[in-house]
Amino acid sequence: GIQVEQSPPDLILQEGANSTLRCNFSDSVNNLQWFHQNPWGQLINLFYIPSGTKQNGRLSATTVATERYSLLYISSSQTTDSGVYFCAVESGANSKLTFGKGITLSVRP
Amino acid sequence: GAVVSQHPSRVICKSGTSVKIECRSLDFQATTMFWYRQFPKQSLMLMATSNEGSKATYEQGVEKDKFLINHASLTLSTLTVTSAHPEDSSFYICSGLRGFSEAFFGQGTRLTVV
């Protein structure tokens, strides 16, 4: 099956800093989503982005499908950005998402 | 974004009893719902795919007789953990598929079996 690798595994930032989170995948995809899992376990949809670039406030994402990677940019980070960021892809006809291992982000005040 | 509601958020049960977890799509119809399990500090592991009106499809290694899934309507799927044991303690999360592409997740259920 498709492999999803996220990097770095852990990231510590000072409040106000910018960061880039990366997601590599091993095959072509129909769907790619970025999620933020908050400390209570809720998965928040950030982007549905199988290709192209999207922006939502301080967050933006770019997926280069031909090169099999996606990037999530966080600008002017805040303590509330802390949590785990997951990239998930769907590559078959069954709509099943395969998740990466996640990136744990800690933003310090 | 779309809303998926999952209940209960926390449950503690005695070993040998059964627990039912509900997953509802509140503002869209979800022909397909998924159930995941997540262990501490790990990623989500897909347990089964639930399609409205048909039997669930379980991933390899998931016991279908232990984890009963019912998808009776386009807005409701349930997961019943039967004869629960301490090793079933985990965080269970459901998701509903809007259209055929974007997945939205419930709040999760933390199950503790004592």
Side-chain angles (χ1 to χ4, degrees), chain B residues 77-96:
Chain B
S77 177
T78 60
L79 168 68
T80 301
V81 183
T82 63
S83 187
H85 289 96
E87 58 265 29
D88 299 323
S89 298
S90 191
F91 190 61
Y92 294 88
I93 315 175
C94 70
S95 76

Side-chain angles (χ1 to χ4, degrees), chain B residues 22-37:
Chain B
E22 289 191 350
C23 179
R24 294 181 183 272
S25 56
L26 298 185
D27 53 0
F28 68 101
Q29 292 184 330
T31 306
T32 303
M33 288 185 169
F34 300 93
W35 288 94
Y36 297 83
R37 185 173 180 175

Side-chain angles (χ1 to χ4, degrees), chain B:
Chain B
V3 179
V4 174
S5 178
Q6 185 175 340
H7 292 281
S9 57
R10 288 181 178 271
V11 59
I12 301 173
C13 71
K14 290 186 176 180
S15 189
T17 61
S18 295
V19 173
K20 181 185 282 189
I21 302 169
E22 289 191 350
C23 179
R24 294 181 183 272
S25 56
L26 298 185
D27 53 0
F28 68 101
Q29 292 184 330
T31 306
T32 303
M33 288 185 169
F34 300 93
W35 288 94
Y36 297 83
R37 185 173 180 175
Q38 187 179 29
F39 291 103
K41 299 192 182 301
Q42 293 190 23
S43 188
L44 279 72
M45 180 186 76
L46 180 65
M47 298 174 65
T49 302
S50 164
N51 289 296
E52 187 266 339
S54 63
K55 289 185 178 181
T57 303
Y58 291 82
E59 295 300 300
Q60 193 171 9
V62 177
E63 298 177 60
K64 62 181 180 181
D65 293 331
K66 164 162 279 292
F67 300 101
L68 299 180
I69 291 172
N70 183 274
H71 194 155
S73 76
L74 287 172
T75 58
L76 174 64
S77 177
T78 60
L79 168 68
T80 301
V81 183
T82 63
S83 187
H85 289 96
E87 58 265 29
D88 299 323
S89 298
S90 191
F91 190 61
Y92 294 88
I93 315 175
C94 70
S95 76
L97 203 62
R98 186 174 68 176
F100 294 98
S101 52
E102 194 170 3
F104 291 87
F105 285 79
Q107 303 96 316
T109 297
R110 193 164 303 282
L111 170 64
T112 303
V113 184
V114 298

Side-chain angles (χ1 to χ4, degrees), chain A residues 2 25 27-33 48-51 54 63 65 68 88-98, chain B residues 97 100-102:
Chain A
I2 192 168
F25 42 96
D27 204 346
S28 57
V29 298
N30 302 320
N31 171 17
L32 187 146
Q33 292 186 248
Y48 168 74
I49 187 165
S51 64
K54 290 185 177 180
T63 296
R68 299 180 184 171
V89 303
E90 181 256 312
S91 64
N94 54 23
S95 302
K96 291 195 286 189
L97 286 176
T98 299
Chain B
L97 203 62
F100 294 98
S101 52
E102 194 170 3

Side-chain angles (χ1 to χ4, degrees), chain A residues 50-71:
Chain A
S51 64
T53 297
K54 290 185 177 180
Q55 180 157 7
N56 184 3
R58 296 182 296 105
L59 303 182
S60 63
T62 295
T63 296
V64 184
T66 53
E67 297 187 20
R68 299 180 184 171
Y69 73 89
S70 183
L71 302 174

